[in-house]
Amino acid sequence: MFKRPALALAAGAALLLLAAPGVTAAPHRATELEETVTVDPTGHISADGTVTLSGTYRCTDSAGAAFISSSVSTTKASATHGTSTLIQGIGGTVAVCDGVTHRWENTSRPSPAIGPGKVSVEATVAELRFEGILPLPRIHADERHEVTLTKA
């Protein structure tokens, strides 16, 4: 099982490209170097356990549906199982890839619940771009940061 959403998207795209040799990747453009996603250093947990993450993004040249996904990774130590990492998706937001910096905010109530403290957050700006009849993921930007979750 893939632990990172961006890795899963990339692996799926690679498999589709191998299965369809006539499909080629989009050429590299200088504007891709200017695409970014950031994660605010503080996230919030409401009384009912809903987690809210936020940040900024900038993307260009979107031909398909684009979105910002985010996930939280927590690590727990167990006397019987050693160390385990739990990765949970925290919502998704539609992205506008017009070259302007925008704010994003994703909200979700993960199960099992996450408590306050430091977590690793990954945010990804991606789009589904059709190459022939196949929708292939294109990652515009991907970042991982440590975030402090606080009670709202």
Side-chain angles (χ1 to χ4, degrees):
M1 186 86 186
F2 290 103
K3 293 186 176 186
R4 293 179 44 174
L7 182 60
L9 286 172
L15 289 174
L16 287 173
L17 288 173
L18 290 174
V23 177
T24 59
H28 174 75
R29 293 179 202 54
T31 57
E32 291 175 1
L33 298 175
E34 299 170 2
E35 297 182 314
T36 61
V37 62
T38 68
V39 179
D40 291 340
T42 304
H44 304 284
I45 303 173
S46 68
D48 71 354
T50 299
V51 174
T52 301
L53 302 171
S54 58
T56 63
Y57 73 94
R58 180 182 185 277
C59 57
T60 60
D61 194 30
S62 173
F67 55 93
I68 299 128
S69 63
S70 58
S71 63
V72 172
S73 301
T74 55
T75 303
K76 295 187 179 188
S78 167
T80 58
H81 295 39
T83 302
S84 64
T85 301
L86 178 63
I87 300 172
Q88 299 182 74
I90 304 295
T93 305
V94 173
V96 178
C97 292
D98 59 2
V100 176
T101 299
H102 299 277
R103 295 276 313 152
W104 65 268
E105 181 176 285
N106 289 345
T107 302
S108 181
R109 188 167 60 183
S111 178
I114 298 172
K118 293 202 179 287
V119 295
S120 178
V121 171
E122 182 175 12
T124 304
V125 180
E127 76 172 284
L128 289 178
R129 186 175 276 192
F130 279 88
E131 299 287 339
I133 62 169
L134 297 173
L136 299 176
R138 176 174 174 248
I139 305 300
H140 286 264
D142 183 54
E143 284 294 325
R144 181 179 284 196
H145 294 283
E146 190 170 271
V147 170
T148 301
L149 295 178
T150 61
K151 290 185 179 184

